Amino acid sequence: MKRTNIACDLLVIGGSTAGCFAANTAREQGLDVLVVDKATAGQSGAGIMASGFWAVFNEDWGMDYDSTLAWINANSSYLNNRDWTERFLQDSWGTYLDLKRWGVQFPVPEDAMADFFRGNIATDEDDPHTHYGIVPLSHRCVTPALRRYGDSIGVRVQDRTMVTDLVVRDGAVRGAVGFSLDTGEHFRFEAGAVVLAAGLNYFRSPGMHISGQTGDACAMAYRAGAVLSGKEFPDMHMNIARDPMWKGTGELYPAYFQFDDAQGRRIPNRGFDLSVVSAVHAGFGPIYWDFGKCTQEELQALDEYRKKRNNPKETERVGLDPHQGGKFQMIGGSAAGAAAAQADGLWTRDTDGSSTLPGLYCAGDCCASWMWGAIIQGPPPGLSPAGVEGKRSALAAVRYLKDAPRPALTGEDYAPAEEHMTSFARRSGGFDPRWVTQLLQNYTMPYYILHIKEAKRLEATLSLVGFLEEHMVPRMRAEDPHMLRLAHETENMALNAEMILRASLFRTESRGWHFREDFPHTDDANWLSWNQIYRDDRGKMTLGKVEVPARWRPERPVEYRPWLAWEHGDEAQWKK
């Protein structure tokens, strides 16, 4: 197979929001930047869909720094990394200005937003818009504009190329290997530094949009020796059962976030992921989205929200009109395997996205900054942080490259990574990766594994996933580049599944959106801490704790927050 060597100052793996921010920032600082994306940079990744709002903090809009920080700390169950939270508060407005400068068009004038927030800062502690603001975005408008700007200033982009492994020399990350999805051509990438911005992990469930990621960033970082963190705090998401691939729920549910159980009882919104799944667990599914219950005020709010999003096609194409009523069955767990934003990915040594490996930085969904702690906060919680992290990681890489040695890589440096990259293609027989993925989905996607958790179920699933990793994954076959991509994605998803299961077993308490039936209460004495996930000297996955600094701990123990549906009403009525 043809092999091509490509050199650059900064290699950015992943071309969605975080990757584009990193690439554009580094290029503006004079670096030779190459973005490699498995699909199409600017048109793929979670950022192309998670574009409802850009979260900002601006004291000129009437927002108070101290009260905002205190609210985020409390809402996070005090598991947020306060340094990163403050980076968001201090840097988010700058990333909004970057979006404007880079050509993103906003549907609402800035003056109108300022006027709104100056008179409407909420005080309800459960309101996700409390204290900081949101800038509405037109649907699918952010990353295409970032890609166009990058093209205009000389950011190099290589689309449809899957990076499988990082290359480490003298303890520092110096490059990567990958292959073309179209031709199978092999690539050796040599770089002074690398920014990982390749998203998080879903298990390719049928109810999540196709931009869902496969955990490639975490997998390649783990294999290279980096320390990871998080993964036990799940993000579920829901879609309507009749159109499971439709992401247009985002065009409606922020304005009408009301769901009923099979008996017509309204499920409380607070902590909707666990509230909804607990109703199913108690035998009161399926769950419905009933527009027949909409009031005139709610219908008006829906119309105004769709107008604000400036893209009615998302709802029109599936014939969903709230004014016509309709009762739609929902499917849950469609983001199975996904973690709450900023609670999954590479452990960062600072607020510059520095990993535990020199020369390797991270940003976006694969960066465990712990900015929000144990629960998703604000809509959408990953988009603006991706900009903050992408920008900071690029500037850190610029500083690193001023003094970092750059010895030329040799064939021996690339050999282990290339051996792994081509392993599935060299097999003449073996398992089809699509079947192995289906088995992985069947093991991990049920709500009673990753959402309503319990030790015996987690251990049983971990045993099954371990069998896949040990027996089936190494024996997968790939006859062409497409199948080779699927094989690597399946391997990465299985590795992420092991991390999720081990992290969920490790945390023997319930906190935020991590719920253990066998440990249903919050335990600050033992678990006001973050985990670390790493490969030990024997090659075994190992977990450890890093305690939240004493200066960030609350004066009183964190109270258990009632997430389950029956905790908001008559328990006997719900559970009978």
Side-chain angles (χ1 to χ4, degrees), residues 59-180:
E59 290 182 307
D60 291 339
W61 286 8
M63 301 165 192
D64 182 79
Y65 190 93
D66 291 336
S67 63
T68 301
L69 181 60
W71 174 75
I72 294 174
N73 297 340
N75 202 44
S76 77
S77 294
Y78 292 91
L79 206 62
N80 61 315
N81 181 321
R82 200 167 301 183
D83 288 338
W84 268 114
T85 305
E86 295 205 55
R87 289 271 64 82
F88 160 74
L89 295 179
Q90 295 168 12
D91 294 359
S92 59
W93 184 254
T95 60
Y96 161 67
L97 297 179
D98 289 330
L99 294 179
K100 291 178 62 177
R101 183 166 58 88
W102 293 344
V104 174
Q105 299 296 312
F106 296 92
V108 179
E110 188 174 311
D111 289 345
M113 291 186 292
D115 290 341
F116 172 81
F117 281 106
R118 286 187 183 118
N120 291 278
I121 296 297
T123 57
D124 180 359
E125 68 174 9
D126 291 327
D127 185 346
H129 303 92
T130 302
H131 303 297
Y132 64 87
I134 52 176
V135 176
L137 301 170
S138 295
H139 202 43
R140 298 177 183 265
C141 76
V142 175
T143 50
L146 302 188
R147 165 75 185 262
R148 289 192 295 270
Y149 178 78
D151 289 341
S152 74
I153 62 173
V155 172
R156 292 190 286 157
V157 179
Q158 185 163 323
D159 293 322
R160 295 189 56 75
T161 299
M162 183 175 190
V163 175
T164 62
D165 290 276
L166 300 171
V167 175
V168 179
R169 173 168 174 163
D170 300 328
V173 174
R174 291 293 323 284
V177 298
F179 64 93
S180 167

Side-chain angles (χ1 to χ4, degrees), residues 291-304:
F291 290 103
K293 291 184 176 181
C294 281
T295 65
Q296 286 302 312
E297 291 78 10
E298 288 168 335
L299 289 171
Q300 182 179 356
L302 283 163
D303 291 341
E304 292 176 352

Side-chain angles (χ1 to χ4, degrees), residues 48-52 137-141 251 309-311 314:
I48 191 66
M49 297 300 293
S51 54
L137 301 170
S138 295
H139 202 43
R140 298 177 183 265
C141 76
E251 302 301 314
R309 289 296 298 273
N310 196 29
N311 188 23
E314 289 292 327

Side-chain angles (χ1 to χ4, degrees), residues 12 20 33 39 59 77 98 118 127 160 173 211 232 242 247 255 259 272 278 315 331 342 362 382 397-398 530 547 563:
V12 179
C20 285
V33 181
E59 290 182 307
S77 294
D98 289 330
R118 286 187 183 118
D127 185 346
R160 295 189 56 75
V173 174
S211 64
E232 73 266 44
R242 75 173 194 181
K247 189 59 171 63
F259 304 98
F272 79 99
S278 69
T315 52
I331 55 172
Q342 312 302 304
C362 61
V398 170
W530 304 291
E547 292 190 354
W563 299 110

Side-chain angles (χ1 to χ4, degrees), residues 176 208 281 348 353:
M208 198 58 184
H281 191 52
T348 59

Side-chain angles (χ1 to χ4, degrees), residues 278-498:
S278 69
V280 173
H281 191 52
F284 293 110
I287 307 303
Y288 293 97
W289 204 11
D290 191 351
F291 290 103
K293 291 184 176 181
C294 281
T295 65
Q296 286 302 312
E297 291 78 10
E298 288 168 335
L299 289 171
Q300 182 179 356
L302 283 163
D303 291 341
E304 292 176 352
Y305 184 73
R306 285 194 291 176
K307 182 179 179 180
K308 182 187 300 181
R309 289 296 298 273
N310 196 29
N311 188 23
K313 291 183 293 186
E314 289 292 327
T315 52
E316 291 175 356
R317 69 179 180 174
V318 292
L320 197 157
D321 182 359
H323 289 274
Q324 300 298 319
K327 185 176 180 180
F328 300 94
Q329 182 176 334
M330 305 299 292
I331 55 172
S334 58
Q342 312 302 304
D344 177 353
L346 279 70
W347 176 264
T348 59
R349 296 186 291 106
D350 49 36
T351 57
D352 290 328
S354 306
S355 78
T356 54
L357 293 177
L360 180 63
Y361 300 85
C362 61
D365 284 338
C366 65
C367 177
S369 67
W370 291 103
M371 192 176 293
W372 305 123
I375 180 176
I376 287 177
Q377 302 194 47
L383 199 54
S384 178
V388 171
E389 293 160 356
K391 187 174 182 178
R392 294 189 66 83
S393 66
L395 294 174
V398 170
R399 295 190 296 271
Y400 172 78
L401 288 173
K402 289 181 178 179
D403 301 315
R406 295 181 63 171
L409 297 181
T410 68
E412 291 183 1
D413 295 320
Y414 287 105
E418 289 179 325
E419 175 77 12
H420 175 247
M421 180 178 71
T422 60
S423 60
F424 304 117
R426 296 198 307 272
R427 293 188 58 85
S428 58
F431 299 107
D432 188 318
R434 293 168 294 188
W435 182 59
V436 181
T437 295
Q438 187 177 45
L439 292 174
L440 180 65
Q441 291 173 325
N442 292 341
Y443 298 158
T444 57
M445 285 172 54
Y447 77 86
Y448 51 81
I449 303 299
L450 300 183
H451 297 282
I452 303 291
K453 307 175 187 179
E454 187 271 337
K456 290 182 180 179
R457 297 195 296 269
L458 291 169
E459 290 166 352
T461 308
L462 182 60
S463 177
L464 291 169
V465 170
F467 173 72
L468 294 185
E469 290 186 281
E470 294 168 9
H471 183 80
M472 290 188 170
V473 166
R475 294 175 173 84
M476 291 186 297
R477 69 182 190 279
E479 298 90 350
D480 54 43
H482 173 68
M483 292 298 287
L484 184 58
R485 168 192 171 179
L486 294 182
H488 280 287
E489 289 178 336
T490 301
E491 179 184 39
N492 293 342
M493 287 189 287
L495 179 58
N496 277 272
E498 181 184 354

